[in-house]
Every structure is written in structure tokens, then in C-alpha cells.
Amino acid sequence: MSKVVTFGEVMLRLATPDRLRFGQAGSFTATFGGGEANVAVSLANYGLPVEFVTRVPKNDIADSCLRELRKYGVGTSEARLPSRNTAPPRSAYRR
């Protein structure tokens, strides 16, 4: 069977308990989503082999995101983590 490959960004959704406003909440529930990631999870739920290609930073939030995708059977071996800071130099922002 062929593998389905999706690629795109992942979004982090923060939700407040009991429909509070952000300024009123003392805690948040975090969930991950995004069109391509949602499609990958849906296809994996149907038993199709799926790989999600994206670029994420090296931090705990990114690790949690990739772990969540793998939990649903989505492959993340092609998710790229930068080996160093890839931000442009500060001089790139000067005019």
C-alpha cells in the first residue's frame, strides 16, 4: 500500500476552562491541529500509512506535538528539527 504524505504547519490552540476570557483564566488546555495535521490523523484512523512533513523548533512544545501525532499513528520521521538557531541575523531587520 502506498503511503500518504501531508506537509504543512501545526497550530497550537489554547482553550480556557468554562469559556472564560484569557485574562480571567488561570490555566489553559493546549491542543494541536491544523488542516494538514488533521487530515493526517483522519487518514491514519482509517488505517492508511501517513507521514507528516513539517519543520518544528527544538523545544518541549514541539516534542509534545510530534508525540501527539505519533499517538494517532501518524509518522513524523520527516519532521525537521533545526540543528541550530535558524533565525535571520539581527542586521536583516535593519533598514
Side-chain angles (χ1 to χ4, degrees):
M1 178 183 293
S2 298
K3 180 185 286 190
V4 177
V5 178
T6 65
F7 58 95
E9 75 278 0
V10 178
M11 292 179 233
L12 174 68
R13 179 179 185 262
L14 298 175
T16 61
D18 302 322
R19 297 184 180 170
L20 294 173
R21 294 186 179 271
F22 271 82
Q24 299 170 317
S27 64
F28 303 96
T29 301
T31 56
F32 298 101
E36 298 83 1
N38 293 347
V39 167
V41 169
S42 294
L43 292 173
N45 283 335
Y46 283 112
L48 296 171
V50 182
E51 188 73 27
F52 183 69
V53 177
T54 192
R55 185 172 175 97
V56 294
K58 279 189 172 181
N59 61 36
D60 292 340
I61 295 173
D63 292 343
S64 177
C65 172
L66 297 179
R67 189 171 43 253
E68 187 77 8
L69 288 169
R70 287 191 296 267
K71 180 174 83 175
Y72 291 103
V74 175
T76 60
S77 64
E78 297 300 319
R80 298 293 184 217
L81 298 137
S83 58
R84 59 181 171 76
N85 183 0
T86 56
R90 293 181 65 89
S91 61
Y93 298 110
R94 293 187 188 137
R95 290 188 183 249

